[in-house]
Protein backbone atom coordinates (compact mmCIF):
# COMPACT_ATOMS: atom_id res chain seq x y z
CA UNK A 1 0.00 0.00 0.00
CA UNK A 2 2.87 2.38 0.73
CA UNK A 3 4.51 1.75 -2.64
CA UNK A 4 1.36 2.03 -4.70
CA UNK A 5 -0.48 -0.46 -6.89
CA UNK A 6 2.39 -1.18 -9.34
CA UNK A 7 5.71 -2.55 -8.23
CA UNK A 8 8.42 -1.10 -10.44
CA UNK A 9 11.19 -2.78 -8.44
CA UNK A 10 13.33 0.30 -7.87
CA UNK A 11 13.12 3.74 -6.26
CA UNK A 12 12.24 6.77 -8.37
CA UNK A 13 15.17 8.65 -9.84
CA UNK A 14 13.18 11.63 -11.10
CA UNK A 15 9.59 12.73 -11.05
CA UNK A 16 6.81 12.80 -11.26
CA UNK A 17 7.22 15.57 -13.81
CA UNK A 18 5.17 16.77 -16.78
CA UNK A 19 6.60 16.80 -20.29
CA UNK A 20 4.53 17.25 -23.46
CA UNK A 21 1.29 16.96 -21.49
CA UNK A 22 2.22 13.54 -20.08
CA UNK A 23 3.08 12.81 -16.44
CA UNK A 24 6.29 10.79 -16.20
CA UNK A 25 8.54 9.21 -13.59
CA UNK A 26 12.00 7.69 -14.14
CA UNK A 27 13.44 4.88 -12.06
CA UNK A 28 17.00 3.80 -11.27
CA UNK A 29 16.55 0.62 -13.31
CA UNK A 30 16.18 2.71 -16.47
CA UNK A 31 12.43 2.28 -16.64
CA UNK A 32 10.09 5.20 -17.24
CA UNK A 33 6.38 5.25 -16.40
CA UNK A 34 4.06 7.54 -18.37
CA UNK A 35 0.50 8.51 -17.53
CA UNK A 36 -1.75 10.35 -19.94
CA UNK A 37 -5.45 9.57 -19.44
CA UNK A 38 -5.31 6.15 -17.77
CA UNK A 39 -4.77 5.23 -14.16
CA UNK A 40 -2.28 2.49 -15.01
CA UNK A 41 0.97 3.85 -16.51
CA UNK A 42 2.65 2.83 -19.71
CA UNK A 43 6.03 1.36 -18.70
CA UNK A 44 9.00 2.00 -20.99
CA UNK A 45 11.76 -0.48 -20.15
CA UNK A 46 14.72 1.58 -21.37
CA UNK A 47 14.18 5.31 -21.02
CA UNK A 48 16.33 7.67 -23.08
CA UNK A 49 19.78 8.40 -21.68
CA UNK A 50 19.84 11.86 -20.05
CA UNK A 51 22.84 12.86 -22.16
CA UNK A 52 20.63 12.69 -25.27
CA UNK A 53 17.73 14.73 -23.88
CA UNK A 54 16.93 18.30 -24.90
CA UNK A 55 17.37 21.17 -22.42
CA UNK A 56 13.57 21.34 -21.96
CA UNK A 57 13.43 17.63 -21.15
CA UNK A 58 16.32 17.96 -18.67
CA UNK A 59 14.61 20.91 -16.97
CA UNK A 60 11.41 18.86 -16.62
CA UNK A 61 13.25 15.85 -15.19
CA UNK A 62 15.42 17.80 -12.79
CA UNK A 63 12.63 20.07 -11.61
CA UNK A 64 12.32 23.79 -11.35
CA UNK A 65 15.14 25.84 -9.89
CA UNK A 66 12.43 28.25 -8.64
CA UNK A 67 14.39 31.29 -9.75
CA UNK A 68 17.55 30.30 -7.92
CA UNK A 69 21.05 29.69 -9.26
CA UNK A 70 21.69 26.05 -8.45
CA UNK A 71 24.61 23.61 -8.38
CA UNK A 72 23.62 19.97 -8.16
CA UNK A 73 25.90 17.30 -6.70
CA UNK A 74 25.59 15.18 -9.82
CA UNK A 75 27.12 18.07 -11.78
CA UNK A 76 30.05 18.71 -9.41
CA UNK A 77 32.30 16.97 -6.94
CA UNK A 78 34.64 17.79 -4.09
CA UNK A 79 36.54 21.00 -4.62
CA UNK A 80 33.79 22.48 -6.78
CA UNK A 81 33.38 26.24 -6.38
CA UNK A 82 30.13 27.98 -7.08
CA UNK A 83 29.94 31.76 -7.36
CA UNK A 84 26.77 33.63 -6.59
CA UNK A 85 25.54 35.29 -9.78
CA UNK A 86 23.53 37.74 -7.66
CA UNK A 87 26.01 38.92 -5.02
CA UNK A 88 29.16 38.62 -7.09
CA UNK A 89 31.46 38.85 -4.13
CA UNK A 90 30.39 35.51 -2.58
CA UNK A 91 31.39 31.96 -3.48
CA UNK A 92 30.97 28.53 -1.89
CA UNK A 93 33.41 25.62 -2.11
CA UNK A 94 32.51 21.97 -1.50
CA UNK A 95 34.96 20.31 0.91
CA UNK A 96 35.20 16.86 2.53
CA UNK A 97 33.33 17.70 5.73
CA UNK A 98 32.14 21.26 5.19
CA UNK A 99 31.20 23.99 2.75
CA UNK A 100 33.48 27.04 2.76
CA UNK A 101 31.54 30.24 2.09
CA UNK A 102 33.69 33.31 1.49
CA UNK A 103 33.94 36.69 -0.07
CA UNK A 104 36.13 36.62 -3.13
CA UNK A 105 38.03 39.73 -2.02
CA UNK A 106 41.63 39.05 -0.97
CA UNK A 107 40.95 39.43 2.77
CA UNK A 108 37.22 38.89 2.69
CA UNK A 109 35.00 37.38 5.34
CA UNK A 110 34.38 33.63 5.38
CA UNK A 111 32.58 30.94 7.33
CA UNK A 112 32.20 27.15 7.27
CA UNK A 113 28.98 25.16 7.18
CA UNK A 114 29.44 21.58 8.41
CA UNK A 115 28.31 18.99 5.86
CA UNK A 116 25.86 16.40 7.11
CA UNK A 117 26.23 13.29 4.95
CA UNK A 118 25.70 13.51 1.20
CA UNK A 119 24.60 16.81 -0.28
CA UNK A 120 22.03 17.19 -3.06
CA UNK A 121 22.42 20.81 -4.14
CA UNK A 122 23.59 24.33 -3.33
CA UNK A 123 21.46 27.27 -4.40
CA UNK A 124 21.99 31.01 -4.35
CA UNK A 125 18.81 33.01 -3.81
CA UNK A 126 18.67 36.47 -5.35
CA UNK A 127 19.00 39.48 -3.02
CA UNK A 128 15.74 40.84 -1.60
CA UNK A 129 14.56 43.32 1.01
CA UNK A 130 14.89 40.66 3.72
CA UNK A 131 18.31 39.38 2.55
CA UNK A 132 20.36 42.18 0.98
CA UNK A 133 23.11 39.81 -0.22
CA UNK A 134 20.81 36.91 -1.01
CA UNK A 135 20.87 33.55 0.73
CA UNK A 136 22.81 30.35 0.29
CA UNK A 137 20.61 27.25 0.47
CA UNK A 138 22.22 23.87 1.20
CA UNK A 139 20.39 20.57 0.88
CA UNK A 140 22.19 17.72 2.64
CA UNK A 141 21.60 15.08 5.34
CA UNK A 142 20.49 17.80 7.77
CA UNK A 143 17.67 18.85 5.45
CA UNK A 144 17.34 22.17 3.67
CA UNK A 145 19.22 24.97 5.40
CA UNK A 146 19.52 28.65 4.52
CA UNK A 147 22.43 31.00 5.31
CA UNK A 148 22.83 34.74 4.82
CA UNK A 149 26.40 35.79 4.02
Amino acid sequence: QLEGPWDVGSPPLAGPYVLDGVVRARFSTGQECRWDSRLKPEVIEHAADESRLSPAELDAIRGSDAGMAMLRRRDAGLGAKYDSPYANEWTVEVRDTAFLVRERAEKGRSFFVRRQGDWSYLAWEAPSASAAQGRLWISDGAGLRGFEP
Side-chain angles (χ1 to χ4, degrees):
Q1 289 179 345
L2 292 175
E3 294 177 356
W6 301 283
D7 182 11
V8 179
S10 73
L13 186 62
Y17 58 94
V18 178
L19 185 62
D20 299 328
V22 177
V23 175
R24 302 170 187 221
R26 295 170 66 92
F27 297 88
S28 60
T29 58
Q31 293 175 306
E32 180 178 85
C33 289
R34 299 177 188 180
W35 293 264
D36 50 14
S37 61
R38 299 179 4 196
L39 180 59
K40 188 171 181 178
E42 171 190 4
V43 178
I44 308 300
E45 289 299 323
H46 300 287
D49 181 7
E50 281 191 21
S51 66
R52 297 186 318 202
L53 297 177
S54 72
E57 290 171 316
L58 285 173
D59 284 348
I61 288 171
R62 292 180 176 177
S64 168
D65 291 344
M68 295 190 186
M70 187 171 287
L71 176 69
R72 298 174 191 277
R73 182 175 59 119
R74 68 174 158 235
D75 298 329
L78 289 179
K81 292 181 183 175
Y82 193 53
D83 299 338
S84 169
Y86 308 115
N88 290 330
E89 64 271 8
W90 288 98
T91 187
V92 61
E93 180 181 339
V94 179
R95 298 216 171 156
D96 279 336
T97 59
F99 300 98
L100 171 60
V101 183
R102 62 180 177 80
E103 284 183 303
R104 291 189 302 225
E106 187 176 330
K107 293 187 178 187
R109 298 169 291 166
S110 66
F111 62 94
F112 283 96
V113 176
R114 186 183 312 236
R115 265 187 48 198
Q116 302 291 326
D118 286 335
W119 62 284
S120 297
Y121 64 85
L122 308 171
W124 286 106
E125 178 183 344
S128 65
S130 64
Q133 305 236 340
R135 280 188 187 84
L136 170 65
W137 292 93
I138 296 174
S139 174
D140 65 5
L144 180 62
R145 302 177 286 161
F147 302 90
E148 290 185 36

